[in-house]
Amino acid sequence: MNFASTFKNFSSTVSSVAGQAAQGVTGAVSSVDINSTSSKFSKGFKDLSQNLTQSVKERAGTATDLTELPQEYLDLERRVDGLKAAHVGLLKIAKAYGSETYDYPTQIQESVSELGGNIAHNVSFWAAAATKGTQLPQPSVTEKPVEVHKTLPHALSRASNAAAVEVGPSRLSTVLKTYSTAQEQVGQARLVQDEDINKNFLQPWSATLNSSLQAAIKSRQNVNKARISLDACRSTLTNATGGPKQEQARMEVEAAEERLVNATEEAINLMRAVLENPEPIKNIASLVKAQQAYHAKAAEALAAITADVDEAVVAAEADFRKARAQ
């Protein structure tokens, strides 16, 4: 087969493929109902315009004969608003449990000190790694600062322990060390409490706010849109002059009424579900349980040292009176 024959066959194949592609495009275009698409677009634009006009009238206070929603729906709306306000208000305060330092008095000063220690450790570690295997002197790596818990009980524990060292061997030093140990136990119990509250209260409480409550609120927005659409259709029907336009307007009112009924029923069901959900009460019970466990641990730790501290007080007062009597 010579070159001319080959090229002729190739050209014929390309022409055939191009023809089939053109037929496919033509068929696809012909399958699109231009009139139907244009009609749907015009109707959508008309509905949007009517709804916008109705909304403007309502905000301006010039709209009349507004559709009244069922009293049950309105009552549920108020209750859902109250439930949302309760979730937001309590979460605003309780989210403090998500931060370890919520009761810590001096985190700024200690953070600066810790930052300096971490920088010194990182620089010395990098220098040691960079000079390893070379003839350069091997620098020593500074110790990484010990991580400390930043809670008020832990801070009291560290301060009491430091004070005991400053005071030196004495009855006061012994009492300070005893108190330091108890506050360490209280601090650990507080960390356990915070973890429980985060897991069993804050997370599910936030989930209710962001899921089921939001779904109920969104359904109410759908009801409002459906109600505005119905009132807009009724206004159009009122202004219709008869004939085909009036009949079309009447059919649109009926369709809008059905949409409103469906949207209202869905919203009522969602609002009932969120209001009847026992999860918020379970969340509060978890919060109470975590707090009760913490305070019980704290009371136990402090009660364990009360007798020793009281005994130290009696002994110190006796020594004081004896010294004054001499």
Side-chain angles (χ1 to χ4, degrees), residues 43 47 50-51 54 226-240 248-257 259:
K43 185 179 185 305
D47 292 343
Q50 288 178 344
N51 294 346
Q54 181 67 24
R227 198 268 309 157
I228 290 175
S229 176
L230 173 58
D231 289 340
C233 290
R234 283 178 172 170
S235 177
T236 301
L237 177 60
T238 301
N239 297 326
Q248 178 64 28
R250 185 188 62 77
M251 293 174 61
E252 290 179 356
V253 167
E254 291 178 355
E257 286 176 342
R259 289 195 297 270

Side-chain angles (χ1 to χ4, degrees), residues 262-278:
N262 293 336
T264 303
E265 288 180 354
E266 180 183 6
I268 286 176
N269 290 334
L270 286 173
M271 288 191 289
R272 280 177 179 170
V274 74
L275 289 168
E276 295 170 358
N277 187 2

Side-chain angles (χ1 to χ4, degrees), residues 70-86:
Q71 188 60 44
E72 179 188 13
Y73 174 87
L74 298 176
D75 292 340
L76 289 173
E77 264 195 329
R78 284 189 288 270
R79 292 179 60 193
V80 167
D81 286 341
L83 183 61
K84 180 183 178 181

Side-chain angles (χ1 to χ4, degrees), residues 15-172:
S15 299
S16 176
V17 171
Q20 292 177 7
Q23 290 177 2
V25 171
T26 304
V29 171
S30 63
S31 66
V32 176
D33 190 341
I34 301 298
N35 293 331
S36 175
T37 302
S38 176
S39 176
K40 289 179 180 178
F41 178 79
S42 299
K43 185 179 185 305
F45 183 79
K46 176 185 175 183
D47 292 343
L48 178 63
S49 177
Q50 288 178 344
N51 294 346
L52 182 59
T53 301
Q54 181 67 24
S55 297
V56 171
K57 287 182 180 179
E58 291 183 10
R59 291 177 182 177
T62 58
T64 57
D65 298 329
L66 299 181
T67 300
E68 292 187 5
L69 297 172
Q71 188 60 44
E72 179 188 13
Y73 174 87
L74 298 176
D75 292 340
L76 289 173
E77 264 195 329
R78 284 189 288 270
R79 292 179 60 193
V80 167
D81 286 341
L83 183 61
K84 180 183 178 181
H87 273 72
V88 171
L90 187 53
L91 185 62
K92 187 182 297 184
I93 304 302
K95 68 180 181 181
Y97 286 109
S99 171
E100 184 179 290
T101 61
Y102 64 78
D103 63 353
Y104 197 62
T106 58
Q107 67 262 36
I108 296 178
Q109 293 88 333
E110 288 199 5
S111 292
V112 172
S113 174
E114 289 170 9
L115 179 60
N118 281 322
I119 291 175
H121 169 75
N122 292 336
V123 170
S124 61
F125 180 82
W126 175 84
T131 56
K132 187 176 182 181
T134 69
Q135 299 298 323
L136 297 174
Q138 189 77 8
S140 59
V141 180
T142 16
E143 292 186 6
K144 188 175 183 178
V146 178
E147 183 180 359
V148 295
H149 291 294
K150 295 180 180 181
T151 72
L152 179 58
H154 283 102
L156 287 171
S157 176
R158 290 192 293 272
S160 300
N161 190 62
V165 174
E166 293 292 335
V167 169
S170 62
R171 184 178 287 116
L172 176 57

Side-chain angles (χ1 to χ4, degrees), residues 128 146 197 258 262 319:
V146 178
I197 289 176
E258 184 176 355
N262 293 336
D319 289 347

